[in-house]
Amino acid sequence: MPLDRRHFLLQSGSAAAVVTLFGQGCAVPSTAGSNGDALGFTGVPVSLRDTVVVPPEYEWQLLYPWGTPTGIAGQMPAFAPDGANSAADQAVQAGMHHDGMHFFALDARGERGLLVMNHEYTDEQLLHTDGVKVWTADKVRKSLHAMGVSVIEVRRTSTGWQQVQPSPFARRIHGNTPMRIAGPAAGTPLMRTAANPAGDQVFGTFANCAMGVTPWGTYLTCEENFHGYFGGPKDAAKDVTEAQRRYGTVPGTQWVEYWRFDERFDLSRHPNEPHRFGWVVEIDPFEPSAAPIKRTALGRKRQESATCTTSKDGRVVVYMGDDARFEYIYKFVSREKVRPGTDTAARAANRHLLDDGTLYVARYDAGGRGRWLELAHGRNGVDAASGFANQAEVLIHARLAGDIVGGTKMDRPEWIAVHPHSGEVYVTLTNNSQRGDAGKPAPDAANPRANNLFGGILRWREDGGDAASTGFAWDHFALAGDPAQAGSGARYPAADADMFGSPDGLHFDSGGLLWIQTDMSGQVIGKPAYASLGNNQMLCADPATGRIKRFLTGPNGSEITGCVVTPDRRTLFVNIQHPGEARDDGNATPNSAWPDGTTPGSARPRSATLAIRRRDGGIVGT
Ligand code: FEO
Ligand code: CA
Ligand code: CA
Ligand code: CA
């Protein structure tokens, strides 16, 4: 038994609880029978090669690179390799920077389905023929159209997976798509704008990072770094509030110049517009005409993930990370129970479930115990005296409410995955180079390393095995990095675990294998102290044994993100995001031309989806 686990057992409360906690994981490998030779594949070495590497007994094929027509009938403009597609073209083509993704099966065999994926952000140098030394209103529109969500239909044929074009399901949701705002904050004063005095409708979703899937079969897309798109004249920064500073919506700090051409992005003119971003957005992939809905009951943050499970009594529970240094992990528990099923009637019956419930923030105490702290107006010191007029303001400024109740400030919470058998919850904490800096929070039990360059994976078990519990036991599954580096503090659950850094994407398949994806910044890949970790990669872990084996390495400059295994467990879909992104000034030649070119500079690099299978058609991860 690894030391880490023994520590967790000792700390995790009553003996009975311990048996429940690990009965499945320890006594019988949770993967026995169904998993065959779990992690039986040939591990791949770290790599700095500008290509995708998978085990020799596997193969991958490319799907839906940036600019590919989404498949909307009568609107399928071809990709222009020189960046010449118009804003209107981009609105019906694959966006940039593929991220969180799910496969919704359309047949019982799972060989036909909908791939729904996020497009997180844009590389303006690649998006426009002449870059953005000069911004225009058209470039702003094209940029907004290159983010959001794609719904594509895919089918497996004798020659592999193919995109179905046209498809009645094909859909692009982007930064200008009309959508609704629902839940307790909808219609309240901070949500009202000149364009929408009712505060219940908004144009678009963007900065879509990780995701979730509801028990009733809808897709949740998460708005992460929305702040970078809002801006304004620098001198307006003197008027910003504490909340605006905390959320990073400060004039003069914008990443792009949208505000000069689309006035809703000008913070000095429309200070409430950013309140309408930073939410979990629910999309019904089977209803192409249904408006997406922003679910304000889940709280506003730099939303990374929205991972769903159900409580013992049948309510939906949503786990969420807020990916910024020293931000929180959240949980939402619905008031009503889930009506079972994923058909049209079930989706309709659960339509309001995410609008009413309780939001909590996590506190990880020393000794391996933790508490969920309620964020409710009038409780735990969150009230008018502490600056919140009502529950809507608590939700819109959830980070500030989290401070008051005493949540634990984490090392950038990214994806969250729930073990399909045990209900154990795993979260990636990607890194935090400011942990322990002067004026910043010191290391603590859950975030134990100062200058945490490599991140790790923390996990917890809710008391009584009930996702709605307000107490839990936690431990570290892995503290990432290169154990050979002096003082690294790296700690893996098994001695022969393959090393990695900056874990981000995380997915449990139905057999209980944990897929881990990394996102080290392009600026540090291949440099000290990161050199021994190579390019970004994907690994497969078996929590039953603690073994971790490297499965895939990516092209130069890319991160690996988005992961879903089909219901038959024979195909793994993965996204390669931002190949070539290693430019300190944003202007130099990208360091990859993947997938279209073999030498940097020979083609614009494009994010894309991979369909990965065992050559013999066996279960992936074995
Ligand atoms: Fe978009 Fe936090 O990764
Ligand atoms: Ca991410
Ligand atoms: Ca990233
Ligand atoms: Ca990341």
Side-chain angles (χ1 to χ4, degrees):
M1 178 183 289
L3 262 184
D4 211 20
R5 171 161 291 187
R6 188 178 311 135
H7 172 78
F8 188 30
L9 287 172
L10 289 171
Q11 299 294 337
S12 54
S14 76
V18 170
V19 172
T20 321
L21 279 173
F22 284 108
Q24 229 154 350
C26 280
V28 204
S30 58
T31 49
S34 62
N35 272 352
D37 184 14
L39 272 50
F41 60 85
T42 308
V44 306
V46 293
S47 164
L48 284 167
R49 290 169 56 201
D50 184 24
T51 187
V52 171
V53 179
V54 296
E57 58 274 21
Y58 283 71
E59 59 192 352
W60 59 269
Q61 62 173 122
L62 191 78
L63 284 169
Y64 201 55
W66 162 54
T68 304
T70 302
I72 301 162
Q75 301 180 67
M76 295 197 281
F79 173 62
D82 62 352
N85 282 118
S86 67
D89 292 347
Q90 179 63 80
V92 291
Q93 295 173 324
M96 291 189 123
H97 291 47
H98 304 31
D99 206 314
M101 170 170 60
H102 190 68
F103 176 86
F104 293 88
L106 283 171
D107 68 14
R109 298 176 63 203
E111 297 202 331
R112 192 180 147 237
L114 302 179
L115 263 188
V116 185
M117 76 182 75
N118 294 343
H119 301 288
E120 187 184 19
Y121 62 100
T122 52
D123 184 325
E124 303 293 336
Q125 298 298 331
L126 299 176
L127 183 61
H128 314 289
T129 304
D130 62 347
V132 282
K133 283 206 179 74
V134 179
W135 276 91
T136 66
D138 264 350
K139 287 181 182 177
V140 172
R141 280 182 64 232
K142 186 176 182 187
S143 179
L144 281 164
H145 294 173
M147 295 185 283
V149 176
S150 285
V151 180
I152 62 171
E153 183 178 343
V154 292
R155 156 192 324 264
R156 201 169 83 82
T157 69
S158 56
T159 55
W161 285 93
Q162 287 177 358
Q163 187 188 349
V164 177
Q165 293 172 299
S167 162
F169 296 102
R171 184 178 191 189
R172 269 307 313 284
I173 291 159
H174 53 65
N176 279 323
T177 302
M179 50 192 73
R180 288 177 45 213
I181 302 171
T188 61
L190 289 181
M191 300 295 272
R192 298 176 193 156
T193 62
N196 173 224
D200 60 353
Q201 289 176 25
V202 61
F203 286 110
T205 183
F206 50 81
N208 308 82
C209 190
M211 43 63 70
V213 183
T214 64
W216 51 94
T218 57
Y219 183 80
L220 303 177
T221 185
C222 300
E223 299 177 332
E224 188 193 16
N225 290 311
F226 65 93
H227 62 290
Y229 301 86
F230 292 91
K234 256 201 186 92
D235 61 3
K238 65 185 186 314
D239 301 322
V240 302
T241 64
E242 181 199 354
Q244 287 166 329
R245 204 176 301 282
R246 180 63 172 272
Y247 280 83
T249 49
V250 177
T253 67
Q254 65 275 359
W255 299 349
V256 290
E257 298 301 309
Y258 285 10
W259 69 279
R260 296 179 191 276
F261 298 93
D262 187 342
E263 69 169 65
R264 70 182 172 122
F265 293 99
D266 185 340
L267 295 161
S268 67
R269 298 174 73 181
H270 300 287
N272 284 348
E273 185 70 7
H275 297 151
R276 296 137 64 84
F277 295 85
W279 301 104
V280 172
V281 187
E282 185 174 9
I283 294 167
D284 187 337
F286 301 100
E287 298 289 346
S289 61
I293 303 176
K294 301 200 178 190
R295 299 295 186 186
T296 63
L298 278 62
R300 177 170 164 266
K301 43 200 167 282
R302 287 188 205 162
Q303 200 86 239
E304 177 81 23
S305 48
T307 304
C308 296
T309 187
T310 47
S311 66
K312 275 194 166 167
D313 64 1
R315 291 173 289 162
V316 66
V317 174
V318 189
Y319 293 109
M320 296 166 280
D322 182 347
D323 179 11
R325 297 183 187 104
F326 309 111
E327 289 299 342
Y328 302 117
I329 290 172
Y330 296 79
K331 169 165 97 170
F332 170 86
V333 183
S334 68
R335 191 166 67 86
E336 300 286 338
K337 293 176 185 174
V338 177
R339 273 59 127 222
T342 55
D343 58 9
T344 307
R347 295 200 307 283
N350 292 301
R351 189 181 297 140
H352 303 295
L353 222 66
L354 296 179
D355 288 337
D356 187 8
T358 307
L359 186 64
Y360 301 90
V361 68
R363 190 187 73 207
Y364 298 84
D365 295 327
R369 290 286 306 162
R371 299 295 302 173
W372 289 108
L373 308 168
E374 190 175 343
L375 298 181
H377 193 260
R379 306 194 61 172
N380 296 332
V382 178
D383 51 26
S386 57
F388 301 88
N390 49 45
Q391 183 64 12
E393 293 191 4
V394 174
L395 297 169
I396 292 166
H397 295 143
R399 289 176 161 187
L400 304 183
D403 294 347
I404 290 168
V405 305
T408 299
K409 295 180 178 297
M410 309 299 286
D411 286 347
R412 298 188 51 201
E414 300 254 22
W415 289 54
I416 296 175
V418 177
H419 191 289
H421 310 140
S422 70
E424 189 174 15
V425 190
Y426 288 64
V427 62
T428 46
L429 301 171
T430 197
N431 56 59
N432 184 349
S433 57
Q434 294 176 6
R435 174 72 63 181
D437 282 3
K440 301 286 185 183
D444 59 29
N447 304 278
R449 295 186 290 184
N451 187 26
N452 177 8
L453 299 182
F454 301 106
I457 300 173
L458 179 146
R459 63 182 170 182
W460 66 89
R461 286 286 190 119
E462 304 277 12
D463 287 351
D466 186 356
S469 289
T470 53
F472 57 87
W474 65 268
D475 80 337
H476 291 109
F477 179 65
L479 298 177
D482 179 356
Q485 288 195 27
S488 75
R491 208 164 80 216
Y492 292 95
D496 61 349
D498 285 342
M499 63 185 176
F500 57 94
S502 295
D504 185 347
L506 200 62
H507 175 71
F508 266 117
D509 66 30
S510 60
L513 295 181
L514 182 65
W515 299 86
I516 303 165
Q517 303 173 310
T518 73
D519 179 18
M520 297 182 293
S521 139
Q523 267 75 51
V524 305
I525 290 171
K527 298 179 185 164
Y530 303 84
S532 58
L533 300 173
N535 282 348
N536 279 309
Q537 52 175 293
M538 181 163 76
L539 309 97
C540 188
D542 183 357
T545 61
R547 291 171 64 219
I548 303 175
K549 197 185 256 191
R550 191 175 302 104
F551 178 82
L552 176 152
T553 56
N556 289 349
S558 69
E559 78 172 85
I560 318 299
T561 186
C563 180
V564 59
V565 177
T566 51
D568 67 2
R569 299 181 63 198
R570 292 172 198 270
T571 300
L572 167 66
F573 292 106
V574 169
N575 285 323
I576 302 295
Q577 191 191 99
H578 62 69
E581 185 185 83
R583 293 166 292 168
D584 291 329
D585 64 356
N587 288 312
T589 303
N591 66 344
S592 174
W594 190 90
D596 298 336
T598 49
T599 51
S602 61
R604 287 176 191 237
R606 302 160 83 186
S607 297
T609 303
L610 307 180
I612 302 171
R613 290 175 58 86
R614 256 175 68 151
R615 292 180 192 274
D616 67 0
I619 289 174
V620 295
T622 63

